Short mmCIF file of all heavy atoms in Angstrom, two decimals:
data_model
loop_
_atom_site.label_atom_id
_atom_site.label_comp_id
_atom_site.label_asym_id
_atom_site.label_seq_id
_atom_site.Cartn_x
_atom_site.Cartn_y
_atom_site.Cartn_z
N ARG C 245 12.97 -3.61 -9.55
CA ARG C 245 12.97 -4.37 -8.31
C ARG C 245 12.00 -3.74 -7.32
O ARG C 245 11.54 -2.62 -7.55
CB ARG C 245 14.37 -4.42 -7.67
CG ARG C 245 14.91 -3.06 -7.26
CD ARG C 245 16.21 -3.20 -6.47
NE ARG C 245 17.27 -3.74 -7.27
CZ ARG C 245 18.10 -3.02 -8.03
NH1 ARG C 245 17.95 -1.71 -8.09
NH2 ARG C 245 19.05 -3.58 -8.72
N GLY C 246 11.69 -4.47 -6.26
CA GLY C 246 10.86 -3.91 -5.21
C GLY C 246 11.69 -3.15 -4.19
O GLY C 246 12.87 -2.86 -4.42
N VAL C 247 11.09 -2.82 -3.08
CA VAL C 247 11.79 -2.14 -1.99
C VAL C 247 12.41 -3.21 -1.10
O VAL C 247 11.70 -4.01 -0.49
CB VAL C 247 10.83 -1.25 -1.18
CG1 VAL C 247 11.58 -0.60 -0.02
CG2 VAL C 247 10.21 -0.19 -2.08
N VAL C 248 13.73 -3.23 -1.05
CA VAL C 248 14.45 -4.24 -0.27
C VAL C 248 14.67 -3.71 1.14
O VAL C 248 15.00 -2.54 1.33
CB VAL C 248 15.80 -4.57 -0.95
CG1 VAL C 248 16.57 -5.60 -0.13
CG2 VAL C 248 15.57 -5.07 -2.37
N GLY C 249 14.51 -4.59 2.11
CA GLY C 249 14.80 -4.20 3.49
C GLY C 249 13.64 -4.49 4.42
O GLY C 249 12.49 -4.63 4.00
N SER C 250 13.98 -4.59 5.71
CA SER C 250 12.98 -4.89 6.73
C SER C 250 12.93 -3.84 7.83
O SER C 250 12.23 -4.01 8.81
CB SER C 250 13.26 -6.27 7.35
OG SER C 250 14.57 -6.31 7.91
N SER C 251 13.68 -2.76 7.67
CA SER C 251 13.66 -1.69 8.68
C SER C 251 12.33 -0.95 8.62
O SER C 251 11.54 -1.08 7.67
CB SER C 251 14.81 -0.72 8.45
OG SER C 251 14.60 0.02 7.26
N ARG C 252 12.08 -0.13 9.62
CA ARG C 252 10.83 0.64 9.63
C ARG C 252 10.80 1.63 8.48
O ARG C 252 9.72 1.96 7.95
CB ARG C 252 10.65 1.36 10.96
CG ARG C 252 11.70 2.40 11.30
CD ARG C 252 11.45 2.99 12.68
NE ARG C 252 12.46 3.96 13.06
CZ ARG C 252 12.34 5.27 12.83
NH1 ARG C 252 11.27 5.74 12.21
NH2 ARG C 252 13.29 6.11 13.20
N TYR C 253 11.97 2.10 8.02
CA TYR C 253 12.01 3.00 6.88
C TYR C 253 11.55 2.28 5.62
O TYR C 253 10.79 2.83 4.81
CB TYR C 253 13.42 3.56 6.68
CG TYR C 253 13.91 4.38 7.84
CD1 TYR C 253 14.81 3.86 8.76
CD2 TYR C 253 13.48 5.69 8.02
CE1 TYR C 253 15.27 4.61 9.83
CE2 TYR C 253 13.92 6.46 9.08
CZ TYR C 253 14.83 5.91 9.99
OH TYR C 253 15.26 6.66 11.04
N ALA C 254 12.04 1.05 5.44
CA ALA C 254 11.63 0.27 4.26
C ALA C 254 10.15 -0.08 4.32
O ALA C 254 9.44 -0.01 3.31
CB ALA C 254 12.49 -1.00 4.17
N ARG C 255 9.67 -0.43 5.51
CA ARG C 255 8.24 -0.76 5.64
C ARG C 255 7.36 0.46 5.36
O ARG C 255 6.34 0.36 4.66
CB ARG C 255 7.96 -1.31 7.04
CG ARG C 255 8.63 -2.66 7.32
CD ARG C 255 8.01 -3.31 8.56
NE ARG C 255 8.14 -2.47 9.75
CZ ARG C 255 9.17 -2.52 10.59
NH1 ARG C 255 10.16 -3.37 10.36
NH2 ARG C 255 9.21 -1.74 11.66
N ASN C 256 7.75 1.60 5.88
CA ASN C 256 6.98 2.82 5.63
C ASN C 256 6.98 3.19 4.15
O ASN C 256 5.97 3.66 3.61
CB ASN C 256 7.54 3.98 6.46
CG ASN C 256 7.32 3.79 7.96
OD1 ASN C 256 6.47 3.01 8.37
ND2 ASN C 256 8.10 4.49 8.77
N LEU C 257 8.14 3.00 3.49
CA LEU C 257 8.23 3.31 2.07
C LEU C 257 7.33 2.38 1.26
O LEU C 257 6.63 2.83 0.33
CB LEU C 257 9.68 3.20 1.62
CG LEU C 257 9.97 3.59 0.17
CD1 LEU C 257 9.54 5.03 -0.12
CD2 LEU C 257 11.47 3.42 -0.14
N ARG C 258 7.31 1.10 1.59
CA ARG C 258 6.43 0.17 0.89
C ARG C 258 4.96 0.54 1.10
O ARG C 258 4.15 0.46 0.16
CB ARG C 258 6.70 -1.26 1.37
CG ARG C 258 7.84 -1.95 0.66
CD ARG C 258 7.84 -3.45 0.94
NE ARG C 258 8.21 -3.71 2.33
CZ ARG C 258 9.46 -3.94 2.74
NH1 ARG C 258 10.44 -3.95 1.86
NH2 ARG C 258 9.73 -4.18 4.01
N ASP C 259 4.62 0.92 2.31
CA ASP C 259 3.23 1.31 2.59
C ASP C 259 2.84 2.54 1.77
O ASP C 259 1.72 2.61 1.23
CB ASP C 259 3.04 1.60 4.08
CG ASP C 259 3.13 0.35 4.94
OD1 ASP C 259 2.99 -0.76 4.38
OD2 ASP C 259 3.37 0.48 6.16
N ALA C 260 3.75 3.52 1.66
CA ALA C 260 3.45 4.73 0.89
C ALA C 260 3.26 4.40 -0.59
O ALA C 260 2.38 4.97 -1.26
CB ALA C 260 4.57 5.75 1.08
N ILE C 261 4.08 3.48 -1.11
CA ILE C 261 3.95 3.09 -2.52
C ILE C 261 2.63 2.35 -2.76
O ILE C 261 1.93 2.60 -3.75
CB ILE C 261 5.16 2.23 -2.93
CG1 ILE C 261 6.42 3.09 -2.98
CG2 ILE C 261 4.91 1.55 -4.28
CD1 ILE C 261 7.69 2.31 -3.19
N ARG C 262 2.27 1.47 -1.83
CA ARG C 262 1.00 0.74 -1.98
C ARG C 262 -0.19 1.70 -1.94
O ARG C 262 -1.15 1.56 -2.72
CB ARG C 262 0.87 -0.32 -0.88
CG ARG C 262 1.58 -1.62 -1.21
CD ARG C 262 1.12 -2.73 -0.27
NE ARG C 262 1.60 -2.50 1.09
CZ ARG C 262 2.71 -3.04 1.59
NH1 ARG C 262 3.45 -3.84 0.84
NH2 ARG C 262 3.08 -2.80 2.84
N GLN C 263 -0.15 2.66 -1.05
CA GLN C 263 -1.26 3.62 -0.96
C GLN C 263 -1.38 4.47 -2.22
O GLN C 263 -2.49 4.73 -2.71
CB GLN C 263 -1.07 4.52 0.26
CG GLN C 263 -1.24 3.79 1.60
CD GLN C 263 -0.87 4.67 2.79
OE1 GLN C 263 -0.69 5.87 2.64
NE2 GLN C 263 -0.75 4.06 3.96
N ALA C 264 -0.22 4.90 -2.75
CA ALA C 264 -0.24 5.69 -3.98
C ALA C 264 -0.74 4.84 -5.15
O ALA C 264 -1.46 5.34 -6.03
CB ALA C 264 1.15 6.25 -4.27
N ALA C 265 -0.35 3.56 -5.20
CA ALA C 265 -0.79 2.68 -6.29
C ALA C 265 -2.29 2.41 -6.21
O ALA C 265 -2.96 2.26 -7.25
CB ALA C 265 -0.01 1.37 -6.24
N ALA C 266 -2.82 2.37 -5.00
CA ALA C 266 -4.25 2.05 -4.82
C ALA C 266 -5.15 3.29 -4.93
O ALA C 266 -6.37 3.17 -4.79
CB ALA C 266 -4.45 1.38 -3.47
N ASP C 267 -4.57 4.46 -5.16
CA ASP C 267 -5.34 5.70 -5.22
C ASP C 267 -6.22 5.70 -6.47
O ASP C 267 -5.74 5.82 -7.60
CB ASP C 267 -4.39 6.89 -5.24
CG ASP C 267 -5.12 8.22 -5.25
OD1 ASP C 267 -6.35 8.22 -5.04
OD2 ASP C 267 -4.46 9.26 -5.47
N ARG C 268 -7.52 5.61 -6.30
CA ARG C 268 -8.45 5.55 -7.43
C ARG C 268 -8.61 6.91 -8.11
O ARG C 268 -9.03 6.98 -9.28
CB ARG C 268 -9.81 5.03 -6.97
CG ARG C 268 -9.76 3.59 -6.48
CD ARG C 268 -11.15 3.06 -6.18
NE ARG C 268 -11.09 1.67 -5.76
CZ ARG C 268 -11.05 0.63 -6.61
NH1 ARG C 268 -11.08 0.86 -7.92
NH2 ARG C 268 -11.00 -0.60 -6.16
N GLU C 269 -8.28 7.98 -7.42
CA GLU C 269 -8.38 9.31 -8.02
C GLU C 269 -7.15 9.65 -8.86
O GLU C 269 -7.12 10.70 -9.50
CB GLU C 269 -8.58 10.36 -6.93
CG GLU C 269 -9.88 10.18 -6.16
CD GLU C 269 -10.08 11.26 -5.13
OE1 GLU C 269 -9.20 12.17 -5.04
OE2 GLU C 269 -11.09 11.24 -4.42
N ARG C 270 -6.13 8.81 -8.79
CA ARG C 270 -4.91 8.96 -9.61
C ARG C 270 -4.27 10.34 -9.39
O ARG C 270 -3.92 11.05 -10.32
CB ARG C 270 -5.21 8.74 -11.08
CG ARG C 270 -5.90 7.42 -11.38
CD ARG C 270 -6.20 7.28 -12.85
NE ARG C 270 -4.99 6.99 -13.60
CZ ARG C 270 -4.90 7.10 -14.94
NH1 ARG C 270 -5.94 7.53 -15.63
NH2 ARG C 270 -3.78 6.79 -15.55
N GLN C 271 -4.11 10.68 -8.12
CA GLN C 271 -3.47 11.94 -7.76
C GLN C 271 -2.01 11.93 -8.25
O GLN C 271 -1.34 10.90 -8.23
CB GLN C 271 -3.49 12.13 -6.25
CG GLN C 271 -4.84 12.51 -5.67
CD GLN C 271 -5.19 13.95 -6.01
OE1 GLN C 271 -4.31 14.81 -6.11
NE2 GLN C 271 -6.48 14.20 -6.21
N PRO C 272 -1.49 13.08 -8.69
CA PRO C 272 -0.05 13.15 -9.02
C PRO C 272 0.80 12.80 -7.80
O PRO C 272 0.40 13.05 -6.65
CB PRO C 272 0.15 14.61 -9.44
CG PRO C 272 -1.21 15.09 -9.82
CD PRO C 272 -2.17 14.36 -8.93
N VAL C 273 1.95 12.22 -8.04
CA VAL C 273 2.85 11.79 -6.97
C VAL C 273 4.22 12.43 -7.19
O VAL C 273 4.74 12.41 -8.31
CB VAL C 273 2.99 10.25 -6.93
CG1 VAL C 273 3.96 9.83 -5.82
CG2 VAL C 273 1.64 9.59 -6.73
N LEU C 274 4.78 12.99 -6.13
CA LEU C 274 6.14 13.53 -6.15
C LEU C 274 7.00 12.70 -5.21
O LEU C 274 6.77 12.68 -4.00
CB LEU C 274 6.16 15.00 -5.73
CG LEU C 274 7.54 15.64 -5.57
CD1 LEU C 274 8.34 15.58 -6.87
CD2 LEU C 274 7.43 17.09 -5.10
N ILE C 275 7.98 12.00 -5.78
CA ILE C 275 8.91 11.17 -5.01
C ILE C 275 10.23 11.93 -4.92
O ILE C 275 10.83 12.23 -5.96
CB ILE C 275 9.12 9.80 -5.69
CG1 ILE C 275 7.77 9.11 -5.93
CG2 ILE C 275 10.03 8.92 -4.86
CD1 ILE C 275 7.89 7.86 -6.80
N PHE C 276 10.66 12.25 -3.72
CA PHE C 276 11.86 13.07 -3.58
C PHE C 276 12.84 12.42 -2.60
O PHE C 276 12.45 11.68 -1.69
CB PHE C 276 11.52 14.50 -3.14
CG PHE C 276 10.93 14.60 -1.76
CD1 PHE C 276 11.73 14.95 -0.67
CD2 PHE C 276 9.58 14.36 -1.55
CE1 PHE C 276 11.19 15.04 0.59
CE2 PHE C 276 9.03 14.46 -0.28
CZ PHE C 276 9.83 14.80 0.79
N GLY C 277 14.12 12.70 -2.82
CA GLY C 277 15.18 12.17 -1.99
C GLY C 277 16.53 12.41 -2.64
O GLY C 277 16.62 12.98 -3.74
#
């Protein structure tokens, strides 16, 4: 599923995922929580 929600936390999380997906250098990603 995608990121559900309309709060600023959900919007920021979606933006971070989009930026990581668009990274052409394919940097490693650490997702923590």
Side-chain angles (χ1 to χ4, degrees):
R245 62 172 66 88
V247 178
V248 179
S250 57
S251 69
R252 63 183 178 92
Y253 298 102
R255 293 195 301 270
N256 292 341
L257 184 58
R258 275 194 290 267
D259 290 342
I261 290 172
R262 276 194 291 265
Q263 291 173 11
D267 182 11
R268 295 187 178 275
E269 297 182 1
R270 306 179 75 195
Q271 286 287 327
V273 179
L274 173 59
I275 305 171
F276 66 99

